[in-house]
Amino acid sequence: MLRRTFLGLLGGAGALAALPATAGAAGKHFGPHPDTMAVLFDATRCIGCRQCEKACNEVNNLPAPEKPFDDMTVMDTERRTDDKTYTVVNKYATEKGGVFRKMQCNHCLEPACASACFVRAFKKEPNGAVTYDASVCVGCRYCMVACPFSIPAYTYNDPITPRVVKCTMCSPRLAEGKLPGCVERCPKEALTFGPREEIIKIARARIDAYPDRYQHHIYGEHEMGGTCWMYLSGAPFSEIGMREDLGTTSAPELTSGALAAVPMVVGLWPVLLGGIYAVSKRNQKVANAEKVMAVKNALTKASSEAEKKLSEELKKADVANKRLIEVEVKKAVEEALSAKDEDAASSEEES
Amino acid sequence: MSTVEHASAQRKSLFTPFNIVAAIILAAGLVVTVMRFTGGLGAVTNLDQNNPWGIWIGFDLLCGVALAAGGYTTSSACYIFGLKKYHAGVRPAILTAFLGYALVVFALGYDVGRPWRLPYPIFVQQGTTSLLFEVGLCVMIYLTVLFIEFTPAAFEWLGFKKIRNIVVKMTLALTIFGVVLSTLHQSSLGALYTIVPSKLHPLWYSPYLPLFFFVSSICAGLSMVIFEGTLSHKPMHHLMDKEYLDNHDGLILGFGKGCSLILFGYFAIKVIGLAYDNNWHYLATGYGAWFLVEILGFVALPSFLYAIGARDRNIPLIKWAAGLTVFGIIVNRFNISMVAFNWQLPSQLRYFPSWGEITISLFVVTIGVLAFRFISTRMPIFYEHPDYKGEH
């Protein structure tokens, strides 16, 4: 491996430590922008004519649907947004009779899709729209997993240029000073477009004016940290296919804890692991030293004992030898003496 | 049987049952590959607008990464915790981890819409608010680290002494770096799901998901080393040297003991997670029964079996516990990514994998096994190279 490549990798590790810090500072919040626009959908006004669906299809140049927009039988089954549709209207049987509810991207103030996207393909525009840039999209579909409203769709049958499909809040039209296609077309004023602050006031005014007609809740004011599409309904929201258990915590807040832990691990783990290594190595060294010392001591003890024994043996041997010599000498002397005696005796006999 | 005799026997019997099955899977995989890249994801998968992630994420990514955790667990046991007696187990574990991660990335090439853009999040535009960015960055760096950790075996095989010695000197730094990266991406895989409290069943959703994934990955790694050592023991026996074979039972006992303890800790934090969110009442539901099967049958039970196995020095029991743990980790990752995900949708809108998806997952595993066999029968994986004996 080239030295430069390795250094580059180390740099990458450094970046790893630095990145989440910047993410925490700059990326935790995508909005809200002060002049965020919003749309109010009033389910008590919607007659399910599907004109909004048709307008959306036209202004966004989406492919023609299988069944025409004046075919109302499509509402017999609950539909969702898909790779050919940015918005659908569903019909729900409720305690207040049949109620229609439009569904499209809610353009969250803190979008889950934008927070989840690892290539920043989603952007929260100052006008409130959450837009998508297919030119960088890898196609991991984590945005679809993350979206609490299950809105983004994917062109699964496109092998070369598959992409995510979702409502843009007609961001290009807003830039031209036009209304979103669906809002412009709605014949019953079930859709109201305006600055988000104003829209909330309008919604609250309607609830105050007709407290018996409405649920006393503006759906989207706080859900998932707040959205740019908000809803009024006569029937409970759960009866018109809207989750009431989403809570008010925005998606980026849900993951901020896990992200915040990353730089801590990068900082502390090497110290902890290096410490464990040092302790285990030292333990081993001490254990080895003790072993060596023990062997040495044993050897010294053994050798001194052996020496002692040897000298004792030698001493014993010495004594034995001395006695042996004494005996031998004595014997020799005795022999010599007796020989002398014999000589004397024989000479006596001879003489 | 001597090595020479064995090698010639292998050459003669290329058409072993294993090779035939592998060839069939590879052929089927190639067919599905062509379909996937000519017809798009829709042509071979059951993915839809409600279920954007299937088994290519649930198995190939989540299980693949968890089961490749043997690399960092074994190398840190040996080099950081100073348990030198596990040295012979490091190379097989590193090789498995390297192949595992390489195949995870390979499999992602099937799952993402435009795989040629996989480097985009790192080199073109960084989505630093995303936990998937964190996973991607760590997996990319860790794959490189694992590759470097693996290279000494290749260099010994090739006879590149000098560079081999340089890499070996970096062992401790690489090991620590590897543990940091593994901690981060193992936990971040769990953290991916912290963004969907509304879609994941409360029994599996927890703010502690990152911790659950990290701790269970240690169990997965230790168990996988035991499990895989058992699998490769027979076919690779002729390659294993005295050090490997002498230490094998010791490694199984030691890892079994460790895994018993960590599984116990994992069980404890799972229960604490349950208590933290006060989700006890869900235990009385159908999902609750399945949750109990998971944490009693695949966490508490193997922890207990490991403990008995370690106490009685019962090697076969430890091996069974390892198999159970590995299976349990797969069950857990499947539960989080598929079974308990989108639990509120009516059954006709739920996901079930297609044959095409299953084929590709089998295809990827088969490539992994074949690559492991190819490398471990050529390079010094189960034995020490004679030139470098006793150097550690």
Side-chain angles (χ1 to χ4, degrees), chain B residues 101-228:
Chain B
Y101 276 86
L103 289 168
V104 162
V105 176
F106 175 73
L108 278 180
Y110 284 80
D111 186 76
V112 302
R114 306 194 205 192
W116 50 93
R117 285 183 177 175
L118 271 174
Y120 274 30
I122 292 157
F123 297 109
V124 176
Q125 194 159 287
Q126 297 79 18
T128 50
T129 54
S130 173
L131 280 152
L132 199 59
F133 172 77
E134 225 262 288
V135 171
L137 185 63
C138 286
V139 167
M140 185 200 75
I141 302 174
Y142 187 46
L143 183 58
T144 317
V145 168
L146 279 171
F147 176 72
I148 302 171
E149 286 188 291
F150 158 72
T151 52
F155 290 146
E156 286 173 14
W157 180 58
L158 294 166
F160 297 171
K161 258 188 188 170
K162 233 178 178 172
I163 187 157
R164 178 263 179 205
N165 289 338
I166 295 171
V167 178
V168 166
K169 277 199 187 111
M170 303 195 305
T171 302
L172 179 66
L174 286 173
T175 305
I176 291 183
F177 200 23
V179 179
V180 171
L181 292 166
S182 295
T183 309
L184 291 179
H185 70 258
Q186 294 284 1
S187 59
S188 292
L189 282 175
L192 285 181
Y193 290 89
T194 54
I195 205 167
V196 283
S198 59
K199 291 187 182 175
L200 186 57
H201 191 282
L203 285 173
W204 282 273
Y205 182 86
S206 167
Y208 297 123
L209 267 171
L211 201 59
F212 292 165
F213 266 57
F214 172 60
V215 175
S216 59
S217 84
I218 302 175
C219 305
L222 296 175
S223 301
M224 200 58 193
V225 169
I226 298 174
F227 184 66
E228 193 199 284

Side-chain angles (χ1 to χ4, degrees), chain B residues 209-356:
Chain B
L209 267 171
L211 201 59
F212 292 165
F213 266 57
F214 172 60
V215 175
S216 59
S217 84
I218 302 175
C219 305
L222 296 175
S223 301
M224 200 58 193
V225 169
I226 298 174
F227 184 66
E228 193 199 284
T230 310
L231 289 187
S232 50
H233 208 81
K234 216 174 159 194
M236 303 292 176
H237 193 273
H238 61 289
L239 294 168
M240 295 168 174
D241 67 1
K242 198 170 168 308
E243 195 205 345
Y244 183 93
L245 293 172
D246 285 353
N247 286 311
H248 191 62
D249 281 2
L251 182 141
I252 289 180
L253 276 173
F255 275 31
K257 215 180 279 178
C259 201
S260 169
L261 207 63
I262 299 166
L263 274 172
F264 182 76
Y266 177 54
F267 180 78
I269 59 173
K270 285 286 270 188
V271 174
I272 290 169
L274 201 62
Y276 181 80
D277 287 324
N278 199 13
N279 282 329
W280 301 104
H281 59 286
Y282 286 107
L283 290 180
T285 63
Y287 277 101
W290 182 232
F291 179 80
L292 286 175
V293 168
E294 186 195 313
I295 68 161
L296 294 178
F298 298 118
V299 181
L301 180 63
S303 169
F304 186 61
L305 293 181
Y306 266 135
I308 294 182
R311 187 193 62 183
D312 299 348
R313 304 184 74 82
N314 185 342
I315 301 288
L317 183 63
I318 294 182
K319 287 176 177 175
W320 278 106
L324 194 63
T325 309
V326 167
F327 187 71
I329 296 295
I330 295 174
V331 168
N332 173 258
R333 301 306 194 255
F334 272 37
N335 281 344
I336 286 165
S337 62
M338 291 172 283
V339 178
F341 188 80
N342 272 338
W343 66 289
Q344 285 167 323
L345 286 186
S347 58
Q348 73 272 15
L349 295 181
R350 298 296 303 276
Y351 163 84
F352 194 82
S354 71
W355 279 110

Side-chain angles (χ1 to χ4, degrees), chain A residues 1 6 9-10 12-13 15-16 19-20 22-23 26-28 30 80-83 112-121 132-150 152-163 224 243 245-246 251-252 254-255 258-259 261-263 265-266 269-270 272-274 276-278 280-281 284, chain B residues 36-43 45 47-54 57 76 79-84 111-122 124-134 136-138 140-141 144-145 147-148 155 163 170 172 174-177 179-181 183-184 188 191-199 205 210 214 341-344:
Chain A
M1 160 162 269
F6 180 69
L9 283 173
L10 287 180
L16 182 79
L19 278 171
T22 57
K28 240 181 213 164
F30 294 85
R80 60 156 287 170
T81 54
D82 60 30
D83 55 335
C113 52
S115 159
C117 183
F118 68 164
V119 68
R120 271 192 290 139
Y132 162 76
D133 175 9
S135 74
V136 289
C137 177
V138 182
C140 71
R141 308 184 300 285
Y142 187 32
C143 52
M144 299 168 70
V145 169
C147 178
F149 305 105
S150 298
Y154 200 65
T155 55
Y156 284 108
N157 292 318
D158 181 349
I160 307 298
T161 56
R163 62 201 180 86
M224 292 303 293
R243 299 279 299 265
D245 57 352
L246 294 180
L254 288 168
T255 54
L259 279 172
V262 171
V265 171
V266 176
W269 248 218
L272 179 73
L273 297 169
I276 293 173
Y277 168 76
S280 79
K281 198 175 178 188
Q284 226 155 34
Chain B
R36 153 70 184 88
F37 288 103
T38 53
L41 284 163
T45 69
L47 300 175
D48 58 36
Q49 308 305 355
N50 287 316
N51 300 290
W53 284 357
I57 296 295
S76 59
Y79 297 125
I80 296 177
F81 290 84
L83 304 167
K84 294 264 167 66
D111 186 76
V112 302
R114 306 194 205 192
W116 50 93
R117 285 183 177 175
L118 271 174
Y120 274 30
I122 292 157
V124 176
Q125 194 159 287
Q126 297 79 18
T128 50
T129 54
S130 173
L131 280 152
L132 199 59
F133 172 77
E134 225 262 288
L137 185 63
C138 286
M140 185 200 75
I141 302 174
T144 317
V145 168
F147 176 72
I148 302 171
F155 290 146
I163 187 157
M170 303 195 305
L172 179 66
L174 286 173
T175 305
I176 291 183
F177 200 23
V179 179
V180 171
L181 292 166
T183 309
L184 291 179
S188 292
L192 285 181
Y193 290 89
T194 54
I195 205 167
V196 283
S198 59
K199 291 187 182 175
Y205 182 86
F214 172 60
F341 188 80
N342 272 338
W343 66 289
Q344 285 167 323

